[in-house]
Amino acid sequence: MNIMFARRSLAYAGSIALGGAIGVRLGLNYMDPANSNGLASFKTAEADSKRGMHGGMDKNNWVSFKLGERQQVTGNTHLYRFKLDDPGESINLPIASCLLVRATIDGEEVIRPYTPTSAATAKGHFDLVVKVYEKGVMSKHFGDLKEGDELEIKGPIVKLPYAANMKKHIGMVAGGTGITPMLQVAEAILSNPEDKTKVSLIFGNVTEQDIILKKELDEYAKQYPDRFDVYYVLDKPGFFWKGGKGYITADMLKQKMPPPSNDNMVFVCGPPPMMDVISGNKAPDKSQGELKGLLKGMGYTPDQVFKF
């Protein structure tokens, strides 16, 4: 049976919510354990962008959405389900895109990007999975939210319009919750039998317990052995850990990522210190910025690397 698994720190720190079909699984398991069906398929950004409605969202204006439910996923990670005004509408999230969240915290305006975990076609709601970090400003705000509270949101914001077979091989380097946009794209690829793109993922975390949805990722690798592979790296591995240890290195990248080529591309997303080492951070204006770090040293060009 072809199963599409419904669809998230390095000591580095950072905060983007989980996104994709695995999030559908999260939403179904944590909000409605009896529901195990109805996983949605994903469309390309080009197709989704033709839809006029996004469940009341506006990419140009802030709109308030009410928190309907929150459920604990792990010790410091929760799933937040926000209601749409019309229970029959969906946010129709393009691939690959995110939402912007705004809040006034200690008298200052704070804005952060988050990727919904629910399917683009989920009716009447959208889900965000957020891990609360000790020094996380917005994530702590999420941690204080109660059912009935409202949050200002703008979007969807398309970050990289994905089209099937746009590349032969896509490499992904994710740190902690930076896994979100990676899975959004990976699932769009794997759910489309016409898309022959291969996906290779390096996923870094602090401990094995921090790897949210490891079981599902491993099932992806098992179900699509010729199209998807994942390599885990832990900063603080246990005694019996057999995966990567320490930080992500140039040797790991050389072994697991596709080589520099116009037919290939590498996506990077994670906390700033990790980004700085791997590819360089994005510019202050959130543009791609200069390509630096290990990937530049390995011969990749700016058009062969995308920073989420």
Side-chain angles (χ1 to χ4, degrees):
M1 179 174 63
N2 184 20
I3 302 173
M4 244 356 244
F5 291 95
R7 41 182 205 225
R8 165 151 214 17
S9 157
L10 288 168
Y12 306 134
S15 161
I16 296 179
L18 233 167
I22 285 180
V24 179
R25 176 85 174 245
L26 272 174
L28 293 172
N29 287 348
Y30 287 97
M31 296 301 186
D32 186 4
N35 186 355
S36 61
N37 300 310
L39 302 187
S41 61
F42 288 83
K43 308 298 182 182
T44 65
E46 180 180 359
D48 280 342
S49 65
K50 295 179 181 178
R51 301 177 184 176
M53 301 299 294
H54 293 286
M57 290 187 183
D58 189 326
K59 67 178 182 180
N60 298 312
N61 298 289
W62 296 100
V63 180
S64 293
F65 290 89
K66 183 176 294 186
L67 178 62
E69 301 176 66
R70 61 173 284 174
Q71 293 289 335
Q72 188 174 33
V73 178
T74 64
N76 58 354
T77 302
H78 286 75
L79 184 147
Y80 299 84
R81 174 161 291 180
F82 291 89
K83 296 180 178 180
L84 301 180
D85 289 340
D86 186 338
E89 288 189 349
S90 304
I91 62 172
N92 296 321
L93 193 72
I95 305 297
S97 61
C98 68
L99 305 178
L100 297 181
V101 174
R102 181 174 73 171
T104 299
I105 303 173
D106 295 330
E108 295 187 5
E109 181 182 83
V110 179
I111 299 174
R112 294 289 188 272
Y114 287 86
T115 302
T117 66
S118 46
T121 53
K123 301 293 185 181
H125 71 272
F126 62 93
D127 300 339
L128 301 177
V129 174
V130 181
K131 182 173 183 177
V132 178
Y133 293 93
E134 182 180 353
K135 297 182 179 180
V137 179
M138 182 64 81
S139 70
K140 281 187 174 181
H141 181 73
F142 265 95
D144 293 334
L145 289 178
K146 302 180 295 294
E147 293 180 7
D149 288 345
E150 294 188 347
L151 202 60
E152 288 187 305
I153 294 176
K154 179 190 291 187
I157 309 299
V158 177
K159 306 184 83 172
L160 175 69
Y162 178 78
N165 299 303
M166 61 184 284
K167 297 293 179 180
K168 291 182 178 180
H169 192 170
I170 292 178
M172 300 178 172
V173 184
T177 50
I179 191 67
T180 316
M182 308 301 189
L183 287 176
Q184 190 185 65
V185 176
E187 287 161 355
I189 293 171
L190 298 176
S191 66
N192 181 2
E194 301 302 318
D195 195 337
K196 307 304 181 183
T197 306
K198 177 177 173 59
V199 178
S200 297
L201 167 67
I202 295 179
F203 186 18
N205 287 272
V206 178
T207 69
E208 187 170 3
Q209 289 67 39
D210 292 315
I211 308 175
I212 298 176
L213 300 174
K214 183 177 184 297
K215 179 180 178 180
E216 285 77 5
L217 289 170
D218 290 343
E219 287 290 344
Y220 268 145
K222 181 179 179 180
Q223 184 174 345
Y224 304 101
D226 297 327
R227 300 177 65 196
F228 179 82
D229 59 79
V230 56
Y231 181 69
Y232 302 102
V233 182
L234 299 182
D235 180 28
K236 298 178 180 179
F239 182 79
F240 296 105
W241 177 251
K242 296 181 180 180
K245 300 178 181 180
Y247 295 140
I248 297 171
T249 65
D251 285 342
M252 294 177 189
L253 294 173
K254 290 177 182 177
Q255 292 176 17
K256 303 299 180 179
M257 293 293 98
S261 166
N262 290 332
D263 289 330
N264 303 327
M265 198 166 192
V266 176
F267 298 162
V268 187
C269 188
M274 188 208 82
M275 296 282 293
D276 189 52
V277 170
I278 302 298
S279 61
N281 279 291
K282 298 177 74 171
D285 64 358
K286 303 305 179 183
S287 62
Q288 286 293 290
E290 181 182 356
L291 177 61
K292 301 178 181 179
L294 297 177
L295 293 178
K296 181 178 181 179
M298 293 169 60
Y300 292 91
T301 60
D303 59 349
Q304 295 168 357
V305 177
F306 187 84
K307 309 171 190 177
F308 279 96

